[in-house]
Amino acid sequence: MPKHQHLLQESIFIPVTATDTLHLKRFSQDRQGPPVFLVHGSIENGRIFYSASGKGFAPWLAQQGYDVFVADLRGRGKSTPAISGKSKFGLSHTLQEDFPAFIGKIIELKGDVPQYWGAHSWGGVLMLAYLARPAVPVQVQAMAFFGSKRRISIRSLKKFFMVDVMWNWVGKTAAATTGALFAQRLGMGSDSETRLSHRQTHHWVVQRRWLDWHDKFDYANALQNMHLPPTLYLAGANDTVLGHPQDVEHLKNETGCSRSRVMLLSRQNGNRHNYGHIDMLTHPDAPHDHFLEVLRWFKNAGAMQPPSPEKGLTDTVN
């Protein structure tokens, strides 16, 4: 197990089907800290949370005493096999198979203790969807989402090009032609999406009601009738399309969680920069800026939780 800057790093491989294996990257000082589960967004992988040189949100959290687990969703990053034109899985498999496998492994390693969850972009939507109907029950103490939105409601020329032209038209055409969206080849992202995951993501982005693709389960209604963990939504002032502050606010409101907050990352609000969709996680100043706010949110989460009749500490999601 390699060490970098006094951190233990480990790659954990989890069989999820007879042919597919998931990768879970672990960062910790001594394996004793509270567990944090991090999930990336569309057309990317877990490397949004860490660099080859040991920088990023995941190593930084580990340096603060947390035991951090970063997912590579199926076919992305070091999960195998990589997405190909023959890959048939989609977001329904992510929620029903991948998430339970990751969560089960963390519980196996750490015990059934409260976890802290974090996500970038679409990863936050997937986490909320999972909590609305979990296949494996999990205790979540608090969550922090970077640039997460479900719908894109804003209108601009930049949105038209990035979403309507590149994601919708080019992405759909490419997936139909090659069997998958190889976003890196098209300069759209750092990893690929299957044809089904692209289609299912598109459905949720454009539909007003947050309904399941198969049985029409209403995710928003379920979330609004739950005691969700306190959730910090971080939105960048320069994130003008993929995580526009207006759409981040809409996602927060859609959950109905009163113990949530949207934090706008801008110079006007005291931040060092007006952050965008990617550099809110990758900027070298982030650890000295809003990462500290996430740390405070995690540390203060216990005071924001209503008493649990069984444990008295956290919400238990059933």
Side-chain angles (χ1 to χ4, degrees):
M1 182 182 300
K3 289 187 177 183
H4 184 84
Q5 296 182 342
H6 309 294
L7 290 183
L8 298 171
Q9 300 183 37
E10 179 183 8
S11 282
I12 302 167
F13 294 95
I14 310 165
V16 68
T17 71
T19 57
D20 298 327
T21 299
L22 302 175
H23 174 240
L24 191 63
K25 181 77 171 182
R26 186 180 190 180
F27 296 87
S28 67
Q29 290 182 326
D30 54 13
R31 297 182 176 179
Q32 300 303 310
V36 177
F37 179 42
L38 300 178
V39 174
H40 61 82
S42 296
I43 54 176
E44 62 183 24
N45 54 52
R47 288 293 298 273
I48 189 69
F49 296 111
Y50 63 94
S51 69
S53 61
K55 298 178 181 178
F57 186 56
W60 183 85
L61 273 180
Q63 290 167 354
Q64 314 312 310
Y66 291 89
D67 198 353
V68 185
F69 298 86
V70 183
D72 278 331
L73 296 179
R74 195 181 311 191
R76 289 81 158 185
K78 292 185 178 180
S79 292
T80 58
I83 287 173
S84 73
K86 296 181 179 180
S87 299
K88 302 300 182 183
F89 57 86
L91 300 188
S92 47
H93 300 83
T94 301
L95 297 174
Q96 296 165 15
E97 298 176 3
D98 295 4
F99 266 54
F102 285 127
I103 293 166
K105 175 57 69 172
I106 295 172
I107 292 175
E108 176 188 323
L109 293 171
K110 301 293 294 183
D112 188 14
V113 300
Q115 301 178 14
Y116 295 84
W117 281 13
H120 181 236
S121 196
W122 197 249
V125 177
L126 295 176
M127 282 187 154
L128 289 167
Y130 181 82
L131 289 179
R133 57 192 320 190
V136 173
V138 59
Q139 299 182 65
V140 183
Q141 180 84 341
M143 300 190 292
F145 298 154
F146 294 81
S148 292
K149 59 31 182 104
R150 182 181 73 81
R151 298 188 66 238
I152 299 179
S153 64
I154 57 101
R155 297 181 180 182
S156 67
L157 287 175
K158 187 176 181 181
K159 180 265 181 183
F160 175 75
F161 175 75
M162 292 180 65
V163 178
D164 299 330
V165 175
M166 293 302 296
W167 173 259
N168 293 346
W169 188 79
V170 174
K172 184 177 181 180
T173 302
T177 302
T178 63
L181 173 56
F182 299 105
Q184 194 170 23
R185 299 179 189 174
L186 298 172
M188 295 172 59
S190 57
D191 216 314
S192 305
E193 292 290 325
T194 68
R195 187 174 182 177
L196 180 57
S197 65
H198 178 269
R199 183 168 73 245
Q200 290 182 324
T201 299
H202 176 70
H203 285 172
W204 276 5
V205 168
V206 299
Q207 70 181 19
R208 289 189 174 276
R209 295 182 65 195
W210 190 357
L211 305 178
D212 190 80
W213 313 277
H214 306 295
D215 62 7
K216 304 305 178 185
F217 176 85
D218 191 325
Y219 290 92
N221 182 66
L223 292 168
Q224 290 165 15
N225 286 283
M226 294 172 57
H227 290 295
L228 280 173
T231 307
L232 180 63
Y233 292 81
L234 298 104
N238 272 351
D239 194 348
T240 55
V241 176
L242 299 179
H244 192 285
Q246 175 180 304
D247 291 330
V248 171
E249 182 81 30
H250 286 168
L251 177 60
K252 180 189 81 72
N253 293 339
E254 195 168 24
T255 70
C257 182
S258 60
R259 292 169 297 142
S260 297
R261 174 189 172 195
V262 174
M263 176 179 290
L264 182 64
L265 305 178
S266 68
R267 288 193 181 94
Q268 185 175 354
N269 286 345
N271 296 104
R272 298 189 179 196
H273 306 278
N274 293 325
Y275 290 93
H277 195 63
I278 300 298
D279 69 357
M280 64 170 62
L281 276 170
T282 62
H283 199 288
D285 285 341
H288 313 289
D289 201 349
H290 51 283
F291 284 6
L292 295 171
E293 296 299 327
V294 177
L295 183 64
R296 292 188 188 98
W297 188 265
F298 282 178
K299 289 186 176 297
N300 293 332
M304 293 185 280
Q305 292 280 11
S308 167
E310 294 183 0
K311 298 183 182 295
L313 292 174
T314 67
D315 289 336
T316 300
V317 181
N318 295 311

